[in-house]
Amino acid sequence: MRHDNDVNAMTTIRAKAFNFVRAHILSPRRAASYGLLAVVGAGALALSAAPATTEAATPAAAASVATAAMTAPSKQSTPSKKADTKKAATSTTKRATYKVLKVNYQSQPNFYWCGPAATRNALSAMGHNVTMASLAKTMGTTEAGTDSAYEITSALNKIMGGNKYRTTEIPKSSATSKQADTLKKDIVATIDDNRAVVANVAGTARDANGGAHSYEGGHYIAVHGYRNDGRQVEIADSADPNSASYWINTTDLANWIATRGYSH
């Protein structure tokens, strides 16, 4: 049987090994010099019990295999250089610090349609062609003006479809640093979404070039661009076509909005 043949083969191998040791190890000193060979020989005997090539069963081949196993690098423990490079490139990627949406500007035809005009200018930056008259009707605008930013938000969502726009108030007489920072983030996020912001302002503010813009009774403007990471924003102002566009510091805009709100 095959099992008996395997036993006989092992017996023959062991006998040959014994004779080899007896013939070559003649003294304690020589035995010491053959110590390493004996150990490797034992390993070779163990290897011979399993199917293997003749070369792999020799002491030199066994030592070579052992050395290769100890010195071979581990693929799992070695980090991928390409992966590290890709990760570094991703971590240094920054979004744009400047973006302006193109507005098809129109000025308001009377003193109380600033709400419809600002909303119309904002919608034009998104490719919508809506009349001020239809927006005035939707928002309930009268000679007293448009009530609040909530009416602007409702009209924007009606034209855009869905509820992308929402209203944020700055209720006190001046904006906190947190509210100014929130306004900056809201403007950047909205414009990055290819939508313009409409802000309800009151009082006087100066633009980035020092020009004064005064609306003591309140006014609506469209915000359609930012630069310097949103620290300055571009205004489309329907009140005066001679001053239709200007840049303003976002913190100044936040204080201009104070007591009112904005749609974003």
Side-chain angles (χ1 to χ4, degrees):
M1 294 177 65
R2 183 171 182 174
H3 177 70
D4 293 336
N5 289 338
D6 289 343
V7 171
N8 291 335
M10 286 297 297
T11 302
T12 301
I13 292 171
R14 290 192 183 99
K16 289 181 178 181
F18 177 77
N19 289 334
F20 175 84
V21 172
R22 185 176 61 181
H24 291 82
I25 301 177
L26 302 178
S27 67
R29 178 177 296 180
R30 194 168 185 182
S33 66
Y34 275 89
L36 177 59
L37 179 61
V39 172
V40 175
L45 288 176
L47 288 172
S48 68
T53 64
T54 303
E55 181 182 358
T58 64
S64 176
V65 171
T67 302
M70 289 186 291
T71 59
S74 172
K75 291 184 179 180
Q76 293 182 348
S77 63
T78 304
S80 171
K81 191 172 183 179
K82 289 184 178 179
D84 288 347
T85 303
K86 185 176 181 181
K87 184 177 179 181
T90 303
S91 64
T92 57
T93 301
K94 293 183 179 180
R95 63 164 181 76
T97 62
Y98 171 92
K99 185 172 182 177
V100 174
L101 304 178
K102 186 177 180 180
V103 170
N104 180 14
Y105 174 85
Q106 286 185 8
S107 60
Q108 63 195 71
N110 53 49
F111 70 91
Y112 57 91
W113 268 17
C114 60
T119 305
R120 185 233 158 256
N121 286 336
L123 286 166
S124 76
M126 296 173 272
H128 294 275
N129 186 16
V130 187
T131 66
M132 291 184 215
S134 65
L135 287 169
K137 185 177 180 179
T138 298
M139 294 185 286
T141 303
T142 67
E143 289 189 10
T146 305
D147 284 347
S148 72
Y150 288 97
E151 279 68 39
I152 304 293
T153 298
S154 179
L156 286 166
N157 282 331
K158 183 177 180 179
I159 301 300
M160 294 286 293
N163 294 291
K164 276 197 168 185
Y165 275 91
R166 58 190 178 91
T167 305
T168 296
E169 293 184 74
I170 301 179
K172 295 186 177 181
S173 59
S174 62
T176 65
S177 58
K178 183 178 180 180
Q179 288 169 329
D181 188 57
T182 298
L183 173 64
K184 180 185 74 172
K185 291 177 181 177
D186 287 342
I187 290 174
V188 169
T190 304
I191 292 174
D192 282 351
D193 193 36
N194 296 312
R195 296 181 294 118
V197 174
V198 179
N200 187 194
V201 300
T204 301
R206 290 191 176 275
D207 61 37
N209 292 324
H213 305 271
S214 185
Y215 305 107
E216 297 305 322
H219 186 51
Y220 290 93
I221 54 175
V223 184
H224 63 101
Y226 69 83
R227 65 188 180 190
N228 299 334
D229 279 330
R231 286 186 285 273
Q232 288 187 336
V233 294
E234 187 170 17
I235 306 299
D237 194 333
S238 63
D240 182 2
N242 294 319
S243 184
S245 178
Y246 50 86
W247 290 88
I248 186 172
N249 291 333
T250 308
T251 300
D252 293 335
L253 176 60
N255 285 313
W256 207 13
I257 296 171
T259 73
R260 302 184 178 224
Y262 58 98
S263 304
H264 61 98

